[in-house]
Amino acid sequence: MACCGGSGNNAQPTFNDRKSTSYLHLFKYIMVGDSAIGKSNLLLQFVDKRFTPNSEFTIGVEFGSRSINVNNKQIKLQIWDTAGQEKFRSITRAYYRGAVCAMICYDITRRDTFESLTSWLSDCRKFSCGDVTIVLIGNKTDLDSNRQVSTQEAKEFAEKNNLLFFETSAKTGHNVDLAFEKSAELVLEKLQKNPELNGNNVSVD
Amino acid sequence: MEEEQRLNIKKEKETWIDVDQFDVVLLGTNFIESILAGALARAGKSVLHLDKNSFYGGFDSSFTLSQLATLLEESKDVKDPIPPYLSNVIVTDNSKIFEEEERLEQERKDKEEQEEQERKRLEQEKEKQTEQQDTKDDETKGGEGEESKGEEQQQEQTPIVKKPIKKTLHELGRFFSIDLAPTLLYSRGSMVNLLISSSASKYLEFKSLDQNYLYAKNTLYNIPSTKGSIFKDSTFSLREKRLIMKFIETIRELTQPTENEQDKQEQEKKLEELNSKHDGNFLKLVKSFGMTELVESFVLYGLSLIHENLESISLKQGVESVQLYVSSLLVYGTSPFLVPYYGCGDIPQAFCRLCAVYGGTYVLQRSVESLSFDENNILQGIKCTEGQPIKTKYFIASPAYVKTLDTQNTYPTITKRYSRFIGITNKKLNNTLEQSFITLPPNTCSNKNVINILQLDSICVPYLKGKTLYHFTTLSEGESTAEEDLKSSVDNFFANNTQEATSTDKPRLEWSSYFNFTFETLTNDIKEKNVLNKDGGVLVCSDSPIGSTIDYASQLEEAKKLFEYICPNEIFLEKVPEPEDIVWGEAQ
């Protein structure tokens, strides 16, 4: 697999630049789904517009943030990665806490990752408190020739379970921004109806 | 078909582990194991962390109401348990009775309201009829029209007036997080300091308590949070207030952090003087102030929160405890204490996450079946309940596991037992602030030892809407059961039925449980030995040693000692760079 980042290696934006941006809301997003379906790469593509092929999960990196504009409001998305704990289905409950949006991902070229969705979905509903927005992500559309899960089937699954649905490619960046933006819109809408969704607590630091 | 089977076998192999060598294997995700796992991974060790349960934290976890009820129910059937275990379990669930009472009461009210409305409607009709009688016959039609309109409106209104169905306690309980052994954190205590210094605090949310109380002479005394509030207080006499302030000032002078070498020496000299004057005993120091009985218990039980073996607390320990209390005031709120928003069970999980971020491998629902040693009794590796053997230099677990897995070596421990009560009521105690910590000195409610009471509502425990959660904890000596140790204090504060609640204005217990919690810890002496004894790589750590339910200093110390043994000269939980501070793709 050749390296094919969305942008070159030079003149990349830094996380420091984004730190100074002021924002109205901070949304905690979590990524779930089986191992090796590109969750970390989706995160990196969205946050940093890059793609690392054959990446072992990245040591020391656990979430990325990016500010986006939703209905003229500045929203900071903080996207949490599983830190490899999904490998033996051993994600901490604490990971789910306070998340307003969960992205449940599968690999369109691996049927087994689609079969796991039901149990990921039930974990999300069980461990995330309140009205969490759930997005279904079928990743790796760049490998469409090896597809094992049809768009139609996934769409039906999403409709049945009341999920947003996107097919993406973390490699080319296809639909990645859209998935985050559309879900953020929905979260914001829910938040405006029920401001309690995103409670504030003492953080010690 | 064959192909499928082959794939399945292959898959099974793959689902177990693809690495068969680790620096350290830990079994159990309780406090000490989890902190240690985080520290070891952070220092670059390869870590495999297992737990036989399907959830993190074992007895250090936080439970939903139904999980808690199941756990308590299951504990009743255990014969000859080995620590940690729960015993003498009594569960009283009156929630259905109260909910039925409330429903009937609501029905009665609704009926009254309906009757009232009906009465009003009839009156109005009567008035109208009188009016109509006064008016001419040809206007009657219009009157009827109005009347039918009124009826329509009423019909439309009825469904809107219908009240939303109230969730039952058990429906809400699905989202509670209740600790078996809740612990308060000092705002300036070692756990909060470590959470901050290691940046593990980003995984947690905290709430600050509102107020601490001392219960004595049937009165709740505010334990003041500031100088100002002591003097505003109306329960203590002026002389008593001066004594309290004098004591706090003395402690402050002894412990005030200072950069100045001369001041430091001065402090040490003073402490040394006091030490020799009072035989290094905290109780003697307190007695020397000539306090009234009330002020004395205020200082010994309210300001210092080490209560076990009061006579033998060293002056240094006692002074440090008061200093910690005083310095933790007004840091995040008026009370010196913080509680984790989703229960203490999230703290070990935070360190597990930290471990995972640094490459640690986590497998729940998997236990260790056996350990293997070479001819010199040096650990070679472990074997799990399934899958291939795994090589490791160190194996760390709590006494119960180690004793059964490594029968060649002895690991002496001491057993500790607490009496616990957990109650959910319909409201908080009168004249208290919502999130409160109440200390009952010995002999207040025929109690032998100090009882700590924690009162929390939905501000601290999510989804506890309209309910209040209580934790009672006391050290249990001899064979006494939790009910024997705690019942008189529980009955002092709560009512068991609606009648009693109405006549006494006490909170009504809707769900409650008494139980004893027994666990094994290592004594300080053994802790030293454990670290110095190079017995071939098997290390023991204490079970949830909840101490006096305040802070986690002893757990941290133990984790640190084990860490220093495995990683000498390495930093214990060095701060993790903030994700926002990591600059991608740019050279320095």
Side-chain angles (χ1 to χ4, degrees):
Chain A
M1 207 190 288
C3 178
C4 176
S7 60
N9 266 341
N10 38 5
Q12 288 195 8
T14 67
F15 281 179
N16 275 342
D17 292 335
R18 293 189 185 121
K19 201 177 184 180
S20 53
T21 327
S22 64
Y23 54 87
L24 184 70
H25 292 294
L26 175 73
F27 290 167
K28 178 180 171 182
Y29 270 52
I30 52 170
M31 315 279 291
V32 292
D34 286 0
S35 284
I37 53 177
K39 295 186 295 296
S40 306
N41 276 320
L42 280 166
L43 193 161
L44 284 178
Q45 177 60 254
F46 175 67
V47 170
D48 220 41
K49 299 269 169 282
R50 68 196 174 97
F51 179 73
T52 324
N54 298 332
S55 57
E56 284 289 302
F57 74 94
T58 330
I59 286 179
V61 173
E62 49 182 331
F63 58 76
S65 313
R66 183 177 146 187
S67 277
I68 57 169
N69 190 302
V70 181
N71 302 338
N72 292 323
K73 290 186 176 68
Q74 209 57 31
I75 309 286
K76 184 174 172 179
L77 304 188
Q78 190 180 67
I79 305 124
W80 290 61
D81 202 358
T82 52
Q85 285 180 323
E86 83 284 11
K87 195 164 179 190
F88 296 102
R89 294 305 302 264
S90 302
I91 291 180
T92 57
R93 276 179 212 169
Y95 178 71
Y96 293 91
R97 307 222 199 270
V100 291
C101 183
M103 295 205 147
I104 302 186
C105 314
Y106 68 96
D107 178 344
I108 63 159
T109 70
R110 277 169 55 206
R111 179 101 211 147
D112 57 318
T113 64
F114 184 75
E115 308 289 344
S116 306
L117 289 176
T118 322
S119 83
W120 286 117
L121 190 61
S122 103
D123 279 5
C124 276
R125 299 236 201 263
K126 201 157 59 183
F127 300 137
S128 330
C129 295
D131 189 8
V132 63
T133 300
I134 302 178
V135 191
L136 181 66
I137 302 279
N139 192 35
K140 305 200 187 173
T141 51
D142 49 290
L143 301 174
D144 197 56
S145 53
N146 300 334
R147 183 190 277 276
Q148 289 183 0
V149 182
S150 74
T151 309
Q152 186 55 31
E153 189 183 359
K155 212 173 162 184
E156 279 164 17
F157 180 85
E159 271 165 21
K160 201 176 89 192
N161 293 290
N162 198 16
L163 317 172
L164 288 178
F165 171 55
F166 298 93
E167 282 193 340
T168 62
S169 166
K171 189 173 173 182
T172 65
H174 171 67
N175 266 353
V176 175
D177 282 6
L178 189 73
F180 282 98
E181 284 159 13
K182 285 286 168 201
S183 54
E185 259 175 46
L186 195 63
V187 173
L188 187 65
E189 214 174 277
K190 286 184 186 174
L191 188 69
Q192 280 163 345
K193 278 184 205 153
N194 178 13
E196 268 178 45
L197 262 183
N198 215 6
N200 272 323
N201 293 301
V202 180
S203 72
V204 296
D205 48 30
Chain B
M1 194 64 191
E2 233 170 63
E3 173 75 347
E4 206 172 275
Q5 263 178 358
R6 200 180 55 80
L7 275 174
N8 273 344
I9 291 164
K10 195 175 161 227
K11 205 174 141 194
E12 210 159 87
K13 263 194 180 161
E14 273 172 0
T15 50
W16 184 227
I17 208 147
D18 42 15
V19 186
D20 56 10
Q21 186 161 6
F22 289 89
D23 294 329
V24 186
V25 176
L26 299 107
L27 174 60
T29 50
N30 294 53
F31 253 98
I32 299 176
E33 295 93 317
S34 300
I35 295 169
L36 192 54
L40 290 168
R42 180 75 186 93
K45 296 283 177 211
S46 61
V47 174
L48 173 63
H49 203 171
L50 311 166
D51 197 307
K52 68 172 172 129
N53 294 316
S54 60
F55 57 89
Y56 280 84
F59 277 175
D60 291 346
S61 195
S62 307
F63 300 92
T64 66
L65 187 57
S66 61
Q67 285 172 332
L68 181 66
T70 312
L71 188 69
L72 291 167
E73 201 53 47
E74 283 170 358
S75 301
K76 287 179 183 170
D77 302 329
V78 181
K79 300 267 180 295
D80 306 319
I82 46 167
Y85 62 86
L86 310 177
S87 58
N88 303 320
V89 175
I90 299 171
V91 178
T92 313
D93 187 354
N94 283 331
S95 63
K96 288 210 174 66
I97 300 173
F98 295 132
E99 274 149 19
E100 182 60 16
E101 277 177 7
E102 270 170 10
R103 197 184 60 79
L104 290 174
E105 176 68 12
Q106 193 58 48
E107 263 181 22
R108 196 183 56 76
K109 272 188 194 159
D110 286 351
K111 211 177 159 193
E112 267 182 19
E113 218 169 273
Q114 246 177 9
E115 280 170 3
E116 176 71 14
Q117 272 179 1
E118 182 67 15
R119 198 179 55 76
K120 270 190 189 157
R121 200 180 61 84
L122 284 173
E123 245 171 45
Q124 275 174 356
E125 228 167 75
K126 229 183 187 175
E127 270 172 37
K128 263 180 206 154
Q129 272 173 2
T130 337
E131 274 172 32
Q132 275 163 15
Q133 268 175 3
D134 290 347
T135 51
K136 301 277 183 265
D137 278 3
D138 58 328
E139 276 174 358
T140 317
K141 219 181 172 182
E144 266 173 9
E146 257 177 46
E147 202 180 284
S148 60
K149 224 186 204 171
E151 257 173 21
E152 261 170 39
Q153 267 175 358
Q154 220 175 26
Q155 269 170 358
E156 270 170 34
Q157 272 171 0
T158 333
I160 301 166
V161 171
K162 210 174 186 181
K163 293 185 179 82
I165 300 160
K166 225 174 135 187
K167 282 215 165 119
T168 66
L169 180 65
H170 287 274
E171 279 166 343
L172 287 171
R174 283 180 48 216
F175 301 107
F176 294 171
S177 33
I178 305 174
D179 289 314
L180 280 183
T183 300
L184 299 173
L185 300 166
Y186 281 107
S187 303
R188 283 278 181 264
S190 47
M191 180 53 93
V192 171
N193 287 344
L194 179 71
L195 285 169
I196 295 167
S197 70
S198 67
S199 12
S201 60
K202 65 172 170 279
Y203 307 128
L204 298 159
E205 291 172 77
F206 290 94
K207 293 290 186 181
S208 170
L209 291 191
D210 296 324
Q211 184 66 50
N212 299 350
Y213 299 93
L214 183 81
Y215 185 76
K217 300 178 181 171
N218 296 320
T219 314
L220 282 168
Y221 292 91
N222 278 354
I223 300 174
S225 43
T226 58
K227 219 177 196 174
S229 65
I230 291 186
F231 281 98
K232 261 189 250 159
D233 185 275
S234 56
T235 42
F236 291 104
S237 73
L238 199 62
R239 188 175 155 266
E240 286 175 326
K241 285 177 187 176
R242 285 213 188 98
L243 275 169
I244 295 171
M245 282 322 294
K246 193 180 157 203
F247 180 79
I248 293 178
E249 263 323 299
T250 309
I251 302 289
R252 209 193 286 276
E253 274 169 27
L254 282 173
T255 51
Q256 195 119 51
T258 167
E259 290 298 304
N260 189 323
E261 258 322 297
Q262 211 179 338
D263 291 350
K264 249 184 213 169
Q265 280 174 5
E266 195 79 6
Q267 275 182 350
E268 273 167 32
K269 213 177 116 194
K270 255 189 197 160
L271 194 65
E272 205 36 60
E273 268 171 30
L274 283 175
N275 234 336
S276 55
K277 197 173 160 192
H278 303 291
D279 307 327
N281 186 293
F282 180 61
L283 192 61
K284 283 188 184 165
L285 169 76
V286 175
K287 294 267 182 207
S288 74
F289 279 77
M291 299 169 176
T292 60
E293 200 188 326
L294 183 67
V295 176
E296 207 174 280
S297 36
F298 178 87
V299 167
L300 287 175
Y301 303 106
L303 291 183
S304 162
L305 293 162
I306 338 177
H307 304 135
E308 285 171 26
N309 303 322
L310 201 58
E311 287 78 19
S312 58
I313 291 167
S314 75
L315 189 129
K316 193 166 166 275
Q317 267 181 310
V319 166
E320 275 171 8
S321 176
V322 176
Q323 145 70 11
L324 193 54
Y325 188 99
V326 177
S327 66
S328 293
L329 291 166
L330 298 173
V331 177
Y332 298 109
T334 48
S335 154
F337 295 122
L338 297 175
V339 288
Y341 186 46
Y342 295 99
C344 296
D346 272 22
I347 301 178
Q349 289 183 37
F351 287 102
C352 290
R353 162 107 186 154
L354 184 74
C355 175
V357 167
Y358 279 88
T361 304
Y362 276 84
V363 189
L364 295 179
Q365 284 179 289
R366 194 158 305 233
S367 195
V368 174
E369 203 173 63
S370 61
L371 306 177
S372 60
F373 296 91
D374 69 1
E375 63 277 11
N376 299 320
N377 205 11
I378 305 290
L379 181 73
Q380 296 299 297
I382 60 143
K383 189 154 185 333
C384 286
T385 33
E386 52 188 282
Q388 76 272 37
I390 288 160
K391 279 186 214 146
T392 182
K393 261 188 264 174
Y394 298 102
F395 173 73
I396 304 164
S398 59
Y401 288 127
V402 172
K403 280 179 183 169
T404 48
L405 287 169
D406 179 16
T407 45
Q408 298 175 41
N409 300 297
T410 50
Y411 299 91
T413 51
I414 47 166
T415 304
K416 264 191 155 182
R417 198 164 90 125
Y418 282 87
S419 281
R420 293 269 298 112
F421 167 83
I422 297 174
I424 300 171
T425 67
N426 59 334
K427 59 170 194 171
K428 66 181 173 72
L429 292 171
N430 289 338
N431 307 319
T432 60
L433 294 179
E434 280 77 7
Q435 328 298 329
S436 294
F437 179 66
I438 303 166
T439 306
L440 268 67
N443 305 317
T444 343
C445 288
S446 44
N447 51 317
K448 251 207 300 205
N449 291 303
V450 174
I451 298 176
N452 288 321
I453 304 175
L454 188 57
Q455 169 181 284
L456 302 169
D457 75 2
S458 63
I459 300 290
C460 281
V461 184
Y463 296 91
L464 199 69
K465 281 177 189 145
K467 309 281 177 202
T468 308
L469 175 68
Y470 289 90
H471 287 286
F472 284 51
T473 311
T474 189
L475 186 67
S476 176
E477 288 167 328
E479 288 300 301
S480 62
T481 65
E483 193 189 25
E484 286 162 1
D485 286 340
L486 294 170
K487 190 161 189 341
S488 49
S489 59
V490 168
D491 287 346
N492 185 54
F493 291 108
F494 308 122
N496 287 300
N497 54 54
T498 311
Q499 248 181 336
E500 193 193 343
T502 321
S503 64
T504 57
D505 202 22
K506 286 177 182 175
R508 190 182 67 188
L509 282 174
E510 307 204 340
W511 186 97
S512 63
S513 173
Y514 291 96
F515 60 91
N516 286 100
F517 188 6
T518 307
F519 54 86
E520 283 181 290
T521 68
L522 312 174
T523 62
N524 275 331
D525 177 44
I526 300 166
K527 275 185 216 166
E528 293 291 338
K529 272 192 208 149
N530 190 1
V531 173
L532 296 174
N533 179 7
K534 294 185 199 294
D535 53 7
V538 180
L539 302 171
V540 195
C541 58
S542 302
D543 286 332
S544 348
I546 48 175
S548 320
T549 77
I550 315 283
D551 227 88
Y552 289 101
S554 69
Q555 287 93 324
L556 275 185
E557 220 173 282
E558 216 177 306
K560 211 170 174 177
K561 269 186 190 159
L562 289 166
F563 174 81
E564 281 162 2
Y565 175 58
I566 297 171
C567 304
N569 311 318
E570 296 266 5
I571 301 172
F572 181 66
L573 284 164
E574 192 181 353
K575 195 169 183 73
V576 175
E578 290 297 322
E580 268 94 346
D581 295 339
I582 303 170
V583 181
W584 295 96
E586 241 184 33
Q588 278 267 299

